[in-house]
Amino acid sequence: MRTKINLISTKEMDTILTVTGWIKSVRTSKKFSFLALNDGSCFNSLQIVIDTNMPKYEETISLLSTGASVKITGKIVQSPGKEQSIELMAQDITVIGKCDPETYPLQKKRHSFEFLREIAHLRPRTNTFGAIARVRNALSFATHQFFQEKGFLYIHTPIITAADCEGAGEMFKVTTLDLENPPKTDKNNSEETFNVTDYSKDFFEKPTYLTVSGQLEGEAYACALSNIYTFGPTFRAENSNTSRHLAEFWMIEPEMAFADLNDNMDYAEEYIKYCLKYLLEKCPQDMKFFNRYIKPGLIDKLNNVINSPFERLEYTKAIEILKNSGKKFEYKIKWGSDLQSEHERYLTEEHFKKPVILYNYPKEIKAFYMRQNDDGKTVAAMDVLVEGVGEIIGGSQREERLNVLEEKMDQTRLDKENYWWYLELRKYGSVPHAGFGLGFERLIQFATGMENIRDVIPFPRYPGHCDF
Amino acid sequence: MRTKINLISTKEMDTILTVTGWIKSVRTSKKFSFLALNDGSCFNSLQIVIDTNMPKYEETISLLSTGASVKITGKIVQSPGKEQSIELMAQDITVIGKCDPETYPLQKKRHSFEFLREIAHLRPRTNTFGAIARVRNALSFATHQFFQEKGFLYIHTPIITAADCEGAGEMFKVTTLDLENPPKTDKNNSEETFNVTDYSKDFFEKPTYLTVSGQLEGEAYACALSNIYTFGPTFRAENSNTSRHLAEFWMIEPEMAFADLNDNMDYAEEYIKYCLKYLLEKCPQDMKFFNRYIKPGLIDKLNNVINSPFERLEYTKAIEILKNSGKKFEYKIKWGSDLQSEHERYLTEEHFKKPVILYNYPKEIKAFYMRQNDDGKTVAAMDVLVEGVGEIIGGSQREERLNVLEEKMDQTRLDKENYWWYLELRKYGSVPHAGFGLGFERLIQFATGMENIRDVIPFPRYPGHCDF
């Protein structure tokens, strides 16, 4: 039996335990050698003390280098050191897997995040990326627990799709056709003859893509089961090489029937607070690390978010505030334009100094499915803006009135035939409903202060990068 | 404030509540009309009683048809009926969304599962598919709770990949190239000139695919953090039009460091039992339905699985049992061949009458990464077989010895260059580790008795079918 390091406390004093893990560092002195042993169960390593008089000491210590895996049995004793209250006095050491110090890329020194991205298979062994994995895990489970407690059903919406949720956006194609020799078909119409790719030979017998959102399918389930949420991968084939975009990322999309925009804002705010609270409780060591080395003041910031109500502000009022701010912005502020990152940051970071929920956006800049307000100019959309990240949540009440939705689709030139089933949700027992999407990596960035989105997902995908 | 139907019990007697939902059926008599109202929160509908003397009765009742959405306020009273202990005496009824009885496809009659697949956006409104959604949700959360309680970290492994985990299998291609006109490049080599698709123009600048498994990446994280699990979509582009295969399905893949095949079997067994126990506790109404209408004896079967130890049996012994069974099989039994469905079913359904874990398979029929046993003939693989479904889990201890793994890759003609990072896990602090994969839809089939895998996922993808 082996004991996980996170479970060892002063309660285990004087007991004999076996631990396994990887060596983070080795320090030797005359009478003792010290290992920092980590098994990933928590941020802190366990200090292992090895008496130089131990049998076969020389033979063993020569194999104990950073990165090596070991199994160690010994007694938990009080530590005289300042860094830890307990340590393990080794009685028996088995080296399981050696690690050549000459070639091992993770020596005990600082490595740039750029370098670590190139060894994404080893980076979870570092302090930062081990902590990110635990934070990501905690926020994932907090998500499930929050929605389960509220009676939401977790739904798996499809990844491969023939539809384009946003009616725009670049999508990845999914195919089994031979890219070297796509089958062709002669299509005759009255005008001329085309020679085009024959999708009837493709796996799904039509063009298919990777989903950009599970919302539309989520709506179908909400319109049967009231409250549902999705948590799955989504994709954007945009060629944006920035620290804010990934080609593959995870999204959480709750959808609530018999709910309006206010309910939507309530859920969004409660959900974010719940996640952050859970995280601070479950990962104190990891959060202390981020607070100290990645973003000073982080924990205070998160506590402030947890404890204060989010500012809720109509888009129109936000425009006024920005106009009256006396601040010089690169992009002009104009009612009807989308807010730029600099505007969003001013509102949340400088003006309100807390998360802001903007709502009732001009209809022209929002998606076709958002519910039209009575003013004829705005839709019941909302975005949650937070410090450092900007938009972390986007959502809306959905247009539940069949005729209004159809009109909107005609205006935006969407082919209603492709959305026959989506329209039927408005035909048979339609209900007011609302939902939002949270970019999971953005939440992790917000919660950890990590600047590059490529560093908060295990194996990031972005233009030119699909390694591992 | 509205109350979810699953939260209403005899404790709410005589209180005034508001409920929302969709009408399942309407029955009228001289003095009263009765609605069955369902909101998806549980299987059972709430009986609504409407006094025909209610103001505007005629006007209201004419709109109350199957499928319509309503908001109803009334008093919870004791029900004289046998079917339910309480009912709601309506005081106020608002029809939110009408539902035309002439065209609504879900009238109160039995529909075939085949028909319902064609209206997958509406099928969650039926008894069967509402129940499946709740069961799927319960098994998902049970999965997370089980692994979280055990200290496993949930890892998101990539969906788009350049590698092929199994070293075989048909994969979907992912591309942003124009399928009508893929860019070509002239490649010169000494022999001749090729004209081939120029992947340097593709999004990732090389051919990429949808993942068939997150295992390899999961191993990288287990070799840093000890215990991890994945839960995400996986893909097979096999052209199999059967009730057992989907092109897109969800898989759970735990991976444990410092663990061997026995640990692996222990976790697999405990995990399945945990899920089924959780399900029977959380979804009693749904399970009663499956037990009654889909698979008689289901609940007894599941309890039997929960309460008895799985049979653990070496492949070699299984071959003996099959040979001595006196049973006529279509496929010949021979050491070294993969077992067919008929063999697996005989073992679990007839011979042992409980789940069976087969282990130590001939190395020729298993994947390259499985750990070679000392006999030189078998590998430390295991499959869990259950009644009705067959293989529900496949797993193995992984080959952690660099030289043995490299030799195996040479034999099976895998390009070691493509696996450089996977091999490095064996070079730097290698550890014995093991893991398995559970096909989530198979678990749902096993737990519900549903025969066709297309009916246990919200929007199934299979050859020629990518609707919704």
Side-chain angles (χ1 to χ4, degrees):
Chain A
M1 270 299 292
R2 64 201 175 88
T3 306
K4 289 285 191 71
I5 290 173
N6 65 328
L7 300 177
I8 305 175
S9 70
T10 48
K11 282 184 202 157
E12 278 68 38
M13 199 65 77
D14 294 327
T15 58
I16 308 275
L17 296 180
T18 297
V19 291
T20 53
W22 292 266
I23 297 172
K24 282 255 176 183
S25 66
V26 185
R27 191 161 52 85
T28 50
S29 75
K30 233 179 199 170
K31 287 195 65 185
F32 297 104
S33 284
F34 301 92
L35 308 180
L37 186 74
N38 193 282
D39 64 1
S41 64
C42 57
F43 185 87
N44 292 350
S45 296
L46 177 66
Q47 171 146 293
I48 310 285
V49 185
I50 310 172
D51 193 317
T52 51
N53 292 322
M54 192 184 183
K56 294 193 197 171
Y57 172 79
E58 290 298 337
E59 199 185 315
T60 307
I61 198 74
S62 70
L63 301 172
L64 298 176
S65 62
T66 299
S69 54
V70 291
K71 178 175 163 188
I72 301 177
T73 300
K75 190 193 262 190
I76 297 293
V77 297
Q78 203 156 6
S79 174
K82 278 185 212 152
E83 298 283 315
Q84 63 280 324
S85 54
I86 51 167
E87 56 193 25
L88 185 136
M89 185 64 69
Q91 295 171 348
D92 188 68
I93 300 178
T94 309
V95 177
I96 296 176
K98 290 182 288 185
C99 189
D100 178 14
E102 300 298 317
T103 60
Y104 188 49
L106 291 174
Q107 294 308 317
K108 205 193 177 239
K109 63 158 195 159
R110 280 252 178 153
H111 299 285
S112 75
F113 290 155
E114 287 74 20
F115 168 72
L116 292 174
R117 243 170 261 149
E118 289 166 23
I119 49 166
H121 61 306
L122 297 177
R123 68 178 183 168
R125 301 182 185 194
T126 65
N127 283 337
T128 306
F129 291 91
I132 288 167
R134 283 181 296 272
V135 166
R136 196 174 167 107
N137 171 70
L139 291 173
S140 294
F141 191 63
T143 295
H144 284 295
Q145 200 164 268
F146 174 79
F147 287 112
Q148 294 291 324
E149 284 175 5
K150 298 260 170 213
F152 284 56
L153 297 175
Y154 179 37
I155 303 293
H156 292 122
T157 47
I159 310 301
I160 304 174
T161 177
D164 178 353
C165 169
E166 301 287 333
E170 296 179 54
M171 297 173 88
F172 287 101
K173 297 180 191 86
V174 175
T175 184
T176 52
L177 295 178
D178 182 356
L179 288 182
E180 308 292 332
N181 298 297
K184 298 285 179 186
T185 185
D186 282 338
K187 257 198 189 168
N188 294 300
N189 71 11
S190 53
E191 306 289 321
E192 51 191 320
T193 302
F194 295 106
N195 184 247
V196 294
T197 299
D198 182 2
Y199 287 104
S200 74
K201 299 275 194 306
D202 207 349
F203 191 89
F204 294 110
E205 295 166 22
K206 59 178 155 185
T208 52
Y209 310 92
L210 289 179
T211 187
V212 296
S213 162
Q215 179 199 316
L216 304 194
E217 290 92 352
E219 285 186 50
Y221 267 66
C223 290
L225 305 166
S226 296
N227 290 344
I228 64 95
Y229 68 108
T230 72
F231 188 171
T234 45
F235 305 85
R236 293 283 186 291
E238 278 167 48
N239 206 348
S240 10
N241 237 318
T242 80
S243 62
R244 288 167 46 83
H245 295 90
L246 289 170
E248 174 181 313
F249 57 100
W250 286 67
M251 199 144 71
I252 291 131
E253 297 183 280
E255 189 76 31
M256 293 80 74
F258 307 99
D260 61 18
L261 192 65
N262 277 319
D263 300 317
N264 211 13
M265 292 195 265
D266 290 345
Y267 275 119
E269 180 169 345
E270 196 182 346
Y271 166 51
I272 289 181
K273 288 178 173 178
Y274 184 98
C275 283
L276 297 178
K277 220 170 148 184
Y278 182 93
L279 178 62
L280 290 172
E281 275 167 30
K282 293 283 167 171
C283 302
Q285 295 172 3
D286 297 306
M287 293 309 291
K288 215 172 125 187
F289 167 80
F290 289 115
N291 192 61
R292 188 162 169 189
Y293 293 105
I294 302 292
K295 193 179 174 85
L298 175 71
I299 292 178
D300 283 348
K301 181 190 85 174
L302 298 182
N303 275 317
N304 181 39
V305 171
I306 292 169
N307 296 317
S308 51
F310 291 8
E311 189 69 33
R312 299 188 186 189
L313 191 72
E314 283 200 277
Y315 167 91
T316 302
K317 292 220 174 110
I319 292 291
E320 280 170 34
I321 289 173
L322 289 166
K323 276 188 174 162
N324 298 332
S325 67
K327 189 130 176 143
K328 278 220 165 170
F329 294 110
E330 197 184 331
Y331 291 88
K332 217 184 140 189
I333 298 136
K334 206 184 107 206
W335 198 99
S337 302
D338 220 347
L339 294 185
Q340 298 298 317
S341 181
E342 54 175 349
H343 309 137
E344 296 180 345
R345 295 188 68 154
Y346 172 78
L347 290 169
T348 183
E349 293 172 14
E350 294 186 48
H351 190 83
F352 290 108
K353 293 190 173 63
K354 60 178 179 173
V356 175
I357 310 185
L358 290 187
Y359 65 97
N360 288 348
Y361 279 81
K363 65 179 178 184
E364 281 78 13
I365 58 172
K366 289 291 183 182
F368 75 94
Y369 49 73
M370 296 187 179
R371 192 179 197 277
Q372 201 162 306
N373 287 324
D374 291 343
D375 62 13
K377 294 192 297 187
T378 62
V379 288
M382 64 129 189
D383 283 355
V384 181
L385 315 176
V386 295
E387 190 195 316
V389 170
E391 182 195 324
I392 197 168
I393 278 182
S396 73
Q397 188 171 341
R398 320 306 187 185
E399 186 55 76
E400 89 280 13
R401 296 161 296 187
L402 183 62
N403 59 334
V404 182
L405 182 60
E406 284 183 331
E407 214 172 281
K408 181 72 184 218
M409 291 179 80
D410 286 340
Q411 284 165 14
T412 50
R413 286 190 198 127
L414 285 172
D415 186 352
K416 292 200 295 271
E417 297 250 321
N418 290 339
Y419 295 86
W420 67 273
W421 61 271
Y422 188 70
L423 291 166
E424 281 201 353
L425 303 176
R426 279 75 181 163
K427 205 168 156 188
Y428 303 122
S430 186
V431 292
H433 60 291
F436 61 83
L438 172 129
F440 189 55
E441 284 72 22
R442 297 243 171 121
L443 177 64
I444 302 171
Q445 285 187 278
F446 180 60
T448 59
M450 290 295 290
E451 280 193 356
N452 197 317
I453 199 166
R454 296 168 186 173
D455 294 329
V456 297
I457 189 166
F459 299 95
R461 267 62 178 121
Y462 49 100
H465 289 82
C466 185
D467 308 313
F468 310 100
Chain B
M1 271 299 294
R2 63 200 176 87
T3 305
K4 290 285 192 67
I5 290 173
N6 66 328
L7 300 177
I8 304 175
S9 69
T10 49
K11 283 183 199 156
E12 278 68 38
M13 197 66 76
D14 294 326
T15 58
I16 307 276
L17 296 180
T18 297
V19 291
T20 54
W22 292 266
I23 296 172
K24 284 255 178 186
S25 65
V26 185
R27 190 161 54 84
T28 51
S29 73
K30 233 180 197 167
K31 287 195 63 184
F32 296 104
S33 282
F34 301 92
L35 308 179
L37 186 73
N38 193 282
D39 64 2
S41 65
C42 58
F43 185 88
N44 292 350
S45 297
L46 178 66
Q47 171 146 292
I48 310 285
V49 185
I50 310 172
D51 193 317
T52 52
N53 292 322
M54 194 184 181
K56 295 194 197 169
Y57 172 80
E58 290 299 336
E59 199 184 315
T60 306
I61 199 73
S62 69
L63 301 171
L64 297 176
S65 61
T66 299
S69 53
V70 290
K71 180 176 161 185
I72 301 178
T73 300
K75 191 193 259 188
I76 297 292
V77 297
Q78 203 155 7
S79 174
K82 277 185 213 152
E83 297 285 313
Q84 64 279 322
S85 53
I86 52 168
E87 56 193 26
L88 187 136
M89 186 65 69
Q91 296 171 347
D92 188 68
I93 300 180
T94 310
V95 178
I96 296 176
K98 290 181 287 185
C99 189
D100 178 14
E102 299 299 316
T103 60
Y104 189 50
L106 290 174
Q107 294 307 319
K108 204 193 178 242
K109 62 158 195 157
R110 280 254 177 153
H111 299 285
S112 75
F113 291 155
E114 288 72 21
F115 168 71
L116 292 173
R117 243 171 262 148
E118 289 166 25
I119 49 166
H121 61 307
L122 297 177
R123 67 178 182 168
R125 302 181 184 194
T126 64
N127 283 337
T128 306
F129 290 92
I132 287 168
R134 283 182 296 272
V135 166
R136 196 173 166 106
N137 171 71
L139 291 173
S140 294
F141 191 64
T143 295
H144 284 295
Q145 201 165 268
F146 174 79
F147 287 113
Q148 294 290 325
E149 283 175 5
K150 298 261 170 213
F152 284 56
L153 298 174
Y154 178 37
I155 303 294
H156 292 121
T157 46
I159 309 302
I160 304 174
T161 178
D164 177 353
C165 169
E166 301 286 335
E170 295 178 56
M171 298 173 87
F172 287 102
K173 296 181 192 86
V174 174
T175 185
T176 53
L177 296 179
D178 181 357
L179 288 182
E180 307 293 333
N181 297 297
K184 297 286 178 187
T185 185
D186 281 338
K187 257 199 188 168
N188 293 300
N189 71 11
S190 54
E191 304 292 319
E192 49 190 323
T193 301
F194 295 107
N195 185 246
V196 293
T197 299
D198 182 2
Y199 286 104
S200 74
K201 300 274 193 305
D202 207 348
F203 190 89
F204 295 109
E205 295 166 22
K206 59 178 155 187
T208 52
Y209 310 92
L210 290 179
T211 187
V212 296
S213 161
Q215 180 199 316
L216 303 194
E217 291 90 352
E219 284 186 52
Y221 268 66
C223 290
L225 304 166
S226 296
N227 289 345
I228 64 96
Y229 68 107
T230 73
F231 187 170
T234 44
F235 305 86
R236 293 282 187 290
E238 277 167 49
N239 205 349
S240 11
N241 238 319
T242 80
S243 63
R244 288 168 46 82
H245 295 90
L246 290 169
E248 174 182 315
F249 58 100
W250 286 67
M251 199 144 71
I252 290 132
E253 298 182 280
E255 189 75 30
M256 294 81 75
F258 307 101
D260 62 17
L261 191 67
N262 276 318
D263 300 317
N264 211 13
M265 292 195 264
D266 289 345
Y267 276 118
E269 179 170 344
E270 197 181 344
Y271 166 52
I272 288 180
K273 288 177 172 178
Y274 184 98
C275 283
L276 297 178
K277 220 170 150 185
Y278 181 93
L279 177 63
L280 290 172
E281 275 167 32
K282 293 281 166 171
C283 302
Q285 295 173 4
D286 297 307
M287 293 309 291
K288 214 172 126 186
F289 167 80
F290 288 115
N291 191 60
R292 188 160 168 190
Y293 293 105
I294 302 293
K295 194 180 171 84
L298 176 70
I299 292 178
D300 283 347
K301 180 189 86 171
L302 298 182
N303 275 318
N304 181 38
V305 171
I306 292 169
N307 296 317
S308 52
F310 291 9
E311 189 69 32
R312 300 188 185 188
L313 191 72
E314 283 200 277
Y315 166 91
T316 303
K317 290 217 177 109
I319 292 292
E320 279 169 36
I321 289 173
L322 289 166
K323 276 190 175 162
N324 298 332
S325 68
K327 189 133 174 138
K328 277 220 166 171
F329 294 110
E330 195 184 332
Y331 289 88
K332 216 183 137 190
I333 299 138
K334 204 184 108 207
W335 197 99
S337 302
D338 221 348
L339 295 185
Q340 299 297 318
S341 183
E342 55 174 348
H343 308 137
E344 295 179 346
R345 296 188 69 152
Y346 172 78
L347 289 169
T348 184
E349 293 171 14
E350 295 186 48
H351 190 84
F352 290 109
K353 294 189 173 61
K354 59 178 180 174
V356 175
I357 310 184
L358 289 188
Y359 64 98
N360 289 347
Y361 279 81
K363 64 180 180 183
E364 282 77 13
I365 57 173
K366 289 291 182 180
F368 75 93
Y369 50 71
M370 297 188 177
R371 192 178 196 277
Q372 201 162 305
N373 286 325
D374 291 342
D375 62 13
K377 294 192 296 187
T378 61
V379 288
M382 62 129 191
D383 283 355
V384 181
L385 315 176
V386 296
E387 189 195 317
V389 171
E391 184 195 323
I392 196 167
I393 278 182
S396 72
Q397 186 170 341
R398 319 306 186 187
E399 185 55 77
E400 89 280 13
R401 296 162 296 187
L402 182 61
N403 60 332
V404 182
L405 182 60
E406 285 183 330
E407 214 171 282
K408 181 73 183 217
M409 291 178 79
D410 287 339
Q411 284 165 14
T412 49
R413 285 189 199 128
L414 284 172
D415 186 351
K416 291 199 298 269
E417 298 249 321
N418 290 340
Y419 295 85
W420 66 273
W421 61 271
Y422 188 71
L423 290 166
E424 281 200 354
L425 303 176
R426 278 74 182 164
K427 203 169 158 187
Y428 302 123
S430 185
V431 293
H433 60 290
F436 61 83
L438 172 130
F440 189 55
E441 284 72 22
R442 298 244 171 119
L443 177 64
I444 303 171
Q445 285 186 278
F446 180 59
T448 59
M450 290 294 291
E451 280 192 359
N452 196 318
I453 199 166
R454 296 169 187 173
D455 294 329
V456 297
I457 190 166
F459 299 95
R461 268 64 179 120
Y462 49 100
H465 288 83
C466 186
D467 309 313
F468 309 99

